[in-house]
Each structure stands twice: as structure tokens, then as C-alpha cells.
Amino acid sequence: MEISLLGPLDAKSAGTPILPRAAKQRQLLALLALHANRAVPVPMLMEEIWDACPPRSASTTLQTYILHLRRLISASLGDRSGMVAKEILVYQHGGYQLKMLPGTVDAQEYDRVAAQGQAAFDAGDRESAVAAFRRALDLWQGPALTDVRAGTLLELERVRLEESRLGILERRIDIELGMGLHTELLPELAVLTGRHGLHEGLHALRMVALYRAGRPSEALSAYSALRTRLTESLGIEPSARIQRLQRAVLAGDPVLDAGRTGGAPGGRRPLGFLAA
């Protein structure tokens, strides 16, 4: 069985779709998949589906939802007895556990590969870190759980995954800037800053890439555009970090070129000076 959560919800077993149509059953499947191979307590499942106001029939209704998911699994496997499905979607320790093989839930695989990239980054292995981060990001097919009605718990997971995705993306580009790939990164950064107009980290990376590509005036224009968006949308000025970067561009500060072809030693981020 394979389940995709990084984009539209999708689930297949032996190549046959097992995706429920009902909104609450889709919620249930998504939450079980996010916690695959761990028992999710019944109260937690109820909180996701009904928030703080479960009906009196909640326990019976939840069992009905579980039965429907098992029937979908059984049908995909040709399991007329339903015994195999019960071994895949198991009741134990006061909750339900969806048993999945390694690598078959894309969100869990993303977390695993991203952690590999972080470990390589911490060890100073830039090439391995970038390769792992790219593999992790390639698992995404769109916004997480984009077509699933999210209760409190799924919404927290959705936010966590999206924040992680942006963080990994920013880190990967930062490392590649340190490897001298500023020109190659400019098209991607133009798209990303257009899509995430208030994300200072991505704008900072684009400013450095433009500066290193011999286009300091465009780097300053990128700062001005960001400042306009922040003041008009949120009524705030750019952070001290971005203001330091603007001053460095204006001054032609050599620190902006530090590590542009060799990267920062010891696994440090190429733009670490901005935190000073």
C-alpha cells in the first residue's frame, strides 16, 4: 500500500485506489497515515474528526469509518474474509495503527530523507546534503493535504510540513549559493520570491545571488520590492537581518563574496554572517 499526503491525498493498494470519498473518512486515513506504524489513540482520532464536540454516537461512527477503510483495503487485495485488512489497520492499545512498509508514506519518507540531508549538512558534506534535500523536495506534488478537510490535528501537521518544506528549500539554495551556483539559481529564486512575497529568507538569497552575478542594482531593487510588500501588507519594516544585507550590497562588502566558490567550512551556512 502507498499513501501520498504531500499534495492531493492519494492511496493505492496493489495498484488499486483505496481512497474514500467521504470527508471525515479521508481525514481519518490522512491522520493514520501521518502516524503510520504508531497507534493513534481513539480520543485523538475523535478530536480530529469532531473537534471538541463529538456526538454521542462518535465511538460507533468511528468504528464504522474504520470498517469502511478496511473494506476498501480488502477489496483492493481480493481479501474476501477481511482478515488481511485487520492486520493492516489494527486496533491496539486503545487506538488504531495503520501498518505501512518503509517508504510507502511520502510524508514520512520526506521527514526521513530531510533528516539525512540535515545530518550531512551538520557534518560539512555539502554535496550529500544538497542531494538529500533535493530528493526530499521532489516528493512534493503540491501543498500538503491540499484536498483534505483538516481538523485541529491535521492542520498542525500541514503547517509543520509546509514550514519544513520552506526551511529545507531555503537551506538547499543557501548551500548551493556557497558552491558558486548563483547564476543557475536566479530563475528559481525569481519564481520563489514571486510566490512567497513576504518570505525574507528567500529574498535574501535572491539578493545575494544577484549581487554575485554582477547585478547589485537589481539586488537593491529586490530589497525595495520586499520592503514595499512588508510595509503595505503588514505595516512593518524589513528585519535587521535584511537591512544588514542591503547595507552590505550598497557598500560592496567583500563578505558577500565569501565562500562563493568553496562554501563555508565546517557545515556553516554561507549567509551565516547575516545573523551577526
Side-chain angles (χ1 to χ4, degrees), residues 60-206:
T60 301
T61 303
L62 178 62
Q63 292 175 16
T64 301
Y65 293 162
I66 293 292
L67 178 62
H68 182 72
L69 291 178
R70 283 175 173 162
R71 283 175 176 169
L72 288 173
I73 296 171
S74 293
S76 70
L77 299 174
D79 171 31
R80 295 183 179 179
S81 69
M83 293 304 296
V84 175
K86 288 183 179 180
E87 294 174 357
I88 294 174
L89 181 47
V90 182
Y91 179 79
Q92 61 179 21
H93 309 305
Y96 289 93
Q97 177 183 159
L98 184 63
K99 293 188 175 181
M100 301 289 293
L101 294 174
T104 55
V105 178
D106 62 353
Q108 289 192 339
E109 184 68 1
Y110 164 79
D111 286 335
R112 185 186 71 81
V113 179
Q116 287 182 341
Q118 184 62 47
F121 172 72
D122 292 339
D125 186 348
R126 296 172 300 147
E127 289 79 7
S128 295
V130 166
F133 289 152
R134 283 189 173 275
R135 290 198 306 275
L137 293 167
D138 284 345
L139 292 169
W140 288 73
Q141 303 298 318
L145 299 167
T146 186
D147 59 350
V148 177
R149 175 190 174 277
T152 302
L153 301 178
L154 278 184
E155 184 58 29
L156 288 173
E157 283 296 316
R158 188 195 313 232
V159 170
R160 178 190 72 81
L161 286 165
E162 291 291 347
E163 288 292 329
S164 174
R165 180 189 191 183
L166 274 176
I168 292 298
L169 179 62
E170 184 180 353
R171 190 162 303 149
R172 190 218 91 209
I173 294 173
D174 196 347
I175 297 170
E176 290 181 327
L177 266 181
M179 297 168 69
L181 300 177
H182 40 274
T183 301
E184 292 85 347
L185 289 166
L186 281 173
E188 181 181 8
L189 283 167
V191 172
L192 290 171
T193 52
R195 187 178 299 160
H196 304 281
L198 302 177
H199 194 290
E200 289 193 352
L202 293 172
H203 282 273
L205 292 168
R206 182 167 182 248

Side-chain angles (χ1 to χ4, degrees), residues 208 211-212 244 248 252-260 270-271 273-274:
V208 173
Y211 179 87
R212 291 182 178 178
R244 282 195 296 272
D253 195 326
V255 73
L256 290 172
D257 285 312
R260 64 185 292 174
L271 299 190
F273 75 92
L274 292 176

Side-chain angles (χ1 to χ4, degrees), residues 197-199 225-237:
L198 302 177
H199 194 290
L226 171 64
R227 182 178 182 275
T228 298
R229 291 191 188 99
L230 288 171
T231 55
E232 291 182 351
S233 299
L234 304 176
I236 61 173
E237 292 288 329

Side-chain angles (χ1 to χ4, degrees), residues 13-51:
S13 179
T16 301
I18 59 169
L19 199 58
R21 295 182 180 180
K24 286 183 169 56
Q25 292 173 19
R26 292 166 65 87
Q27 277 180 271
L28 179 61
L29 177 61
L31 189 61
L32 288 168
L34 281 166
H35 296 274
N37 300 313
R38 289 175 287 171
V40 183
V42 165
M44 186 173 171
L45 296 172
M46 290 184 176
E47 178 184 354
E48 169 58 31
I49 297 172
W50 292 289
D51 199 12

